[in-house]
Amino acid sequence: MNENNKVRKAKDSIKIKLLINNWVDEKEYLRHDISIEKLGVKLGINRTYVSNYINDTYNSNFSTWIHGMRIAEAQKIIMGSPNISMGQVAIMTGYADQAHFSKQFKAITGKSPVKWKKEQTLKH
């Protein structure tokens, strides 16, 4: 790879990083209809470049990366609004239904959302 290609690749990487960081800051990952294709279109970047960036930067595929951010957001919501239903949390974090939300929550935390909430309540 010649010097010009290295510089261009570095600039592209910085551009992708800025665009993705802005997308994350705007909490766009909470949209229920997000896909790597839609993210690529929104950012104006080929989905393969977006996918490679996520894989390299976060050591994760797109789906796992999205679910991780959604569940982290769900945890904040649960802690900030103790009386909120898990169905409401599911919708607020981009899941179509509570069952899928609960499955992803357990896959990431090792506990169901209800069990996790009870444990957190006991800690505080």
Side-chain angles (χ1 to χ4, degrees), residues 5-19:
N5 285 346
K6 287 180 184 175
V7 170
R8 187 172 64 243
K9 188 171 181 173
K11 284 182 180 177
D12 287 349
S13 181
I14 291 168
K15 177 185 175 188
I16 293 171
K17 178 181 180 178
L18 292 171
L19 290 169

Side-chain angles (χ1 to χ4, degrees), residues 15-72:
K15 177 185 175 188
I16 293 171
K17 178 181 180 178
L18 292 171
L19 290 169
I20 287 181
N21 285 349
N22 185 56
W23 185 83
V24 169
D25 290 345
E26 297 290 324
K27 296 188 178 187
E28 291 285 327
Y29 55 88
L30 298 177
R31 295 177 58 92
H32 74 280
D33 62 343
I34 193 61
S35 68
I36 189 117
E37 290 80 11
K38 287 182 181 180
L39 176 57
V41 168
K42 178 155 178 83
L43 300 181
I45 299 170
N46 179 296
R47 72 170 295 286
T48 303
Y49 289 121
V50 174
S51 179
N52 289 340
Y53 178 84
I54 291 167
N55 292 342
D56 294 344
T57 304
Y58 301 103
N59 243 357
S60 175
N61 66 33
F62 177 78
S63 180
T64 302
W65 179 63
I66 292 293
H67 290 302
M69 290 187 293
R70 285 178 170 180
I71 298 308

